[in-house]
Amino acid sequence: MQLRIVRWIFVVAGLYGTVLTISMLVHPPAMLGKAPWQQPEIYYGFATMGLAWQVVFFLIAGDPRRYRIMMFVSAIYDKLAFVAVLVVLLLKRRAGLHWVGPAVNEFVFAMAFLVSYFLTAEPRKPTDPVLPPMRGD
């Protein structure tokens, strides 16, 4: 049951991200190319990198235990990093409040990924030692 929930979390995350990323590729903003940081190669590079993460989410959904460590990596580097950067930008008044909604979505996914990480842990056997034996023991 837990594995089924974890699979659905990553399928939903992958579908959500794929729809958003493809919409970025199909409908680029009108302002693209008007400022140095808005160059097409940066914009499309970001969008295609985002699409690559969606592939990772689908891989995780296919075999959550095998790709368990990627749940943690994606929660920290793909989701929480964006939230942290946005909080800093909002505090410095360098980002608009319209970014709060997407940041909340990313935070919710990050928490779901972290919960998934802990749900897919191999159960410890009562006979397993807390620490591995030292060399020479």
Side-chain angles (χ1 to χ4, degrees):
M1 180 64 171
Q2 290 177 341
L3 228 49
R4 178 184 249 173
I5 292 168
V6 170
R7 288 178 197 271
W8 273 107
I9 287 170
F10 283 93
V11 166
V12 168
L15 288 173
Y16 173 78
T18 299
V19 168
L20 289 179
T21 307
I22 288 176
S23 69
M24 286 176 66
L25 293 169
V26 174
H27 302 291
M31 81 227 176
L32 190 60
K34 301 229 183 336
W37 56 270
Q38 295 170 334
Q39 295 305 311
E41 60 272 15
I42 294 172
Y43 178 83
Y44 288 108
F46 172 78
T48 53
M49 186 224 31
L51 200 53
W53 270 108
Q54 307 323 305
V55 172
V56 171
F57 298 156
F58 288 124
L59 281 173
I60 294 169
D63 193 349
R65 292 230 165 116
R66 180 177 184 188
Y67 298 110
R68 181 173 179 259
I69 191 64
M70 291 306 296
M71 294 177 196
F72 188 78
V73 171
S74 61
I76 302 300
Y77 293 109
D78 181 39
K79 303 298 180 190
L80 290 180
F82 171 73
V83 174
V85 167
L86 189 58
V87 166
V88 170
L89 291 173
L90 285 168
L91 291 173
K92 291 184 171 193
R93 299 183 193 276
R94 293 184 62 197
L97 290 177
H98 63 280
W99 284 103
V100 171
V104 168
N105 287 343
E106 295 294 290
F107 184 77
V108 168
F109 276 123
M111 294 301 104
F113 290 4
L114 290 174
V115 167
S116 297
Y117 177 79
F118 291 109
L119 285 177
T120 55
E122 291 291 328
R124 280 184 31 131
K125 298 176 189 144
T127 57
D128 286 348
V130 176
L131 296 173
M134 300 291 286
R135 289 188 183 187
D137 285 349

